[in-house]
């Protein structure tokens, strides 16, 4: 016999409990448990054994990926949308989720495939206005609907090639008592859409809102369910937006897409190195890092400011760099680089709002900080890469060859890197440095002559 199950679910982390608690046992947040009525437990399959098949006998047609018509989006997806896959696109309000997906749907439709937009947030007329601004998406089908059953039934009947749900938080299954956007609703919507996507061969993209800390709102379960999770980053006040995959069952998660928001929509930035990888000659506190995001080498300007502080705990503030990594670099600079920063605030910023996760950028961050601290510019036309060890020794980052090729392409004349990378020298003149101290001496010519600005 099925019965209605009452359970309490945390709206922050999705932890469940049989009774109401003031504090979530999962994430320790207060007052986040909400009552949720789960559907009737369906009668179980009766314990009948199923017959597993041999993997070699499973037929698998090589599926061709669907191009979204947005090259930067295709790249992050790993070469296009996989048919019948479920993709989650998260991002802060106003970052441009609806814009990029409408552009993609428009070009899918122009390619003669069926594209459907289910909008729960905006009216069809609003979407039409946006489409006009983006240069037309007339052949895209649009459905303004928030009822989950109707959305699923429509998908099963229309079987579009690509469907966008904007957003998954607006969908509502009436048999669950809770309001749209709650954990149970979002989870139900995603799992139903997953079944429809696989069953009717619809590549489905869900738009998800993000919480304050940047993760997709709703339970983590959503991220486990979908094939691919994309994050759209960048602030509203900066025209550049970064798209990256945090999970991808069909490709690498390191790929990066860079866009610029313009009046006619999001335009891909095909060559970000020329945009972000230049520093002004003679500028103090700036260094160029040769980073590698996925398969793509990227030159990025790193800026640093070092200022004397009265604080007992000096600040280390990084925009685009991991705070732990920054603290480590500052410590290694003090211990092994002769750049003492114990009484100074350190601020570091990465150009273009890009976030660097990769350790290969350590050396350039160290150079920028040392330059700011000593008041001496980094040598003109110089770029650097290398991972900084706690002992002050440098390790070459992954794929030194790719990085050097990018430097050569952009006409960077000098590259400071660990000696292991020198073997594959190209047009760039390599300055091998085994330790941080050597790298600082090579990178900052007048080091030591100027007084410590800090
Ligand atoms: N005429 C315009 N010129 C330039 N940029 C514009 C113009 N109109 C809108 N934008 C940009 O588009 C952004 C909104 O894009 P979009 O609606 O796709 O965001 P979203 O991520 O879907 O937001 P939400 O979460 O609210 O649905 C604005 O923040 C603004 O930067
Ligand atoms: Mg939107």
């Amino acid at each position: 016999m099925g019965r209605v199950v009452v359970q309490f679910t945390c709206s922050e982390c999705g932890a469940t409990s049989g009774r109401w608690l003031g504090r979530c046992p999962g994430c320790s947040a207060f007052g986040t448990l909400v009552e949720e009525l789960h559907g009737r437990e369906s009668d179980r399959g009766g314990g009948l054994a199923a017959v597993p098949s041999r993997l070699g006998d499973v037929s698998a047609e090589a599926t061709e990926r669907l191009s979204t018509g947005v090259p930067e989006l295709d790249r992050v997806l790993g070469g296009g949308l996989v048919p019948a896959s479920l993709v989650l696109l998260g991002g802060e309000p106003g970052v441009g989720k609806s814009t990029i997906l409408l552009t993609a749907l428009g070009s899918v439709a122009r390619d003669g495939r069926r594209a459907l937009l289910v909008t729960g947030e905006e009216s069809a007329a609003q979407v039409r206005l946006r489409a006009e601004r983006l240069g037309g998406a007339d052949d895209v089908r649009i459905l303004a609907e928030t009822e989950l059953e109707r959305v699923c039934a429509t998908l099963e009947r229309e079987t579009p090639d690509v469907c966008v749900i904007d957003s998954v938080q607006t969908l509502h299954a009436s048999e669950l008592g809770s309001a749209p956007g709650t954990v149970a609703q979002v989870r139900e919507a995603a799992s139903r859409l997953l079944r429809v996507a696989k069953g009717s061969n619809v590549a489905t993209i869900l738009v998800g809102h993000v919480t304050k800390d940047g993760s997709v709102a709703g339970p983590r379960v959503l991220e486990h369910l979908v094939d691919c999770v994309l994050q759209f980053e960048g602030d509203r006040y900066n025209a550049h937006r970064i798209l990256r995959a945090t999970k991808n069952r069909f490709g690498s998660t390191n790929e990066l897409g860079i866009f610029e928001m313009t009046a006619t929509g999001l335009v891909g930035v095909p060559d970000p190195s020329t945009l972000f990888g230049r520093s002004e000659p003679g500028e103090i506190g700036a260094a160029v890092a040769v980073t590698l995001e996925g398969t793509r080498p990227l030159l990025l300007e790193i800026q640093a400011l070092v200022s004397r502080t009265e604080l007992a705990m000096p600040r280390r503030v990084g925009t685009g760099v991991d705070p732990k990594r920054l603290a480590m670099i500052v410590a290694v600079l003090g211990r092994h680089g002769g750049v003492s920063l114990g009484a100074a605030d350190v601020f570091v910023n990465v150009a273009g709002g890009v976030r660097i996760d990769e350790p290969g950028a350590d050396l350039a961050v160290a150079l920028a900080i040392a330059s700011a601290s000593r008041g001496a510019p980094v040598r003109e036309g110089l770029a650097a890469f290398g991972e900084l060890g706690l002992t002050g020794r440098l390790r070459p980052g992954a794929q030194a060859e790719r990085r050097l090729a990018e430097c050569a392409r952009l006409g960077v004349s000098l590259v400071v890197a660990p000696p292991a990378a020198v073997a594959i020298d190209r047009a760039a003149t390599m300055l091998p440095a085994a330790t941080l101290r050597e790298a600082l001496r090579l990178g900052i010519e007048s080091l030591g002559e100027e007084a410590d600005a800090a």
Side-chain angles (χ1 to χ4, degrees), residues 19-41:
R19 63 193 175 95
W20 190 83
L21 298 166
R23 186 179 196 185
C24 169
C27 64
S28 306
F30 285 98
T32 53
L33 287 197
V34 286
E35 180 178 341
E36 260 157 13
L37 236 49
H38 283 244
R40 280 162 204 287
E41 269 185 0

Side-chain angles (χ1 to χ4, degrees), residues 224-424:
H224 293 300
L225 214 63
V226 298
D227 296 311
C228 184
V229 181
L230 306 182
Q231 282 283 1
F232 213 8
E233 300 165 0
D235 57 74
R236 267 166 293 168
Y237 312 106
N238 182 339
H240 292 107
R241 306 283 198 272
I242 316 283
L243 183 70
R244 57 172 89 226
T246 54
K247 161 180 173 175
N248 194 349
R249 285 188 180 144
F250 314 111
S252 151
T253 53
N254 301 321
E255 297 293 347
L256 203 68
I258 300 180
F259 296 89
E260 188 175 357
M261 180 62 93
T262 67
T264 51
L266 284 157
V267 185
V269 178
D271 192 2
S273 289
T274 48
L275 203 63
F276 304 138
R278 294 249 176 267
S279 62
E280 284 294 314
E283 197 169 32
I284 290 166
V288 175
V290 192
T291 67
L292 196 83
E293 294 287 347
T295 54
R296 176 195 238 187
L298 201 58
L299 264 64
L300 291 172
E301 189 194 8
I302 315 270
Q303 294 176 343
L305 174 70
V306 173
S307 76
R308 193 174 313 180
T309 182
E310 304 296 323
L311 294 176
M313 290 264 291
R315 275 178 294 185
R316 279 82 180 86
V317 183
T319 313
V321 285
D322 178 32
K324 284 198 206 113
R325 207 108 210 133
L326 178 58
M328 190 275 279
I329 294 170
V330 168
V332 176
L333 268 171
R335 185 71 184 78
H336 299 289
V339 182
S340 131
L341 298 158
D345 287 335
V346 178
F347 302 89
V348 173
N349 185 27
V350 180
V354 182
R355 194 183 75 220
I356 309 181
D357 291 332
E358 194 242 351
D362 290 354
L363 181 55
V365 174
L367 273 173
I369 296 174
S371 157
S373 168
R374 295 301 172 96
V378 172
R379 275 169 88 161
E380 201 179 322
L382 179 130
F385 68 91
E387 181 184 346
L388 201 54
L390 292 180
T391 57
R393 199 162 47 79
L394 293 172
R395 274 181 296 239
Q399 309 200 38
E401 194 162 357
R402 277 238 171 86
R403 298 180 203 243
L404 289 173
E406 180 77 352
C407 291
R409 188 177 73 79
L410 289 162
V412 171
S413 51
L414 290 170
V415 182
V416 179
V422 181
I424 34 183

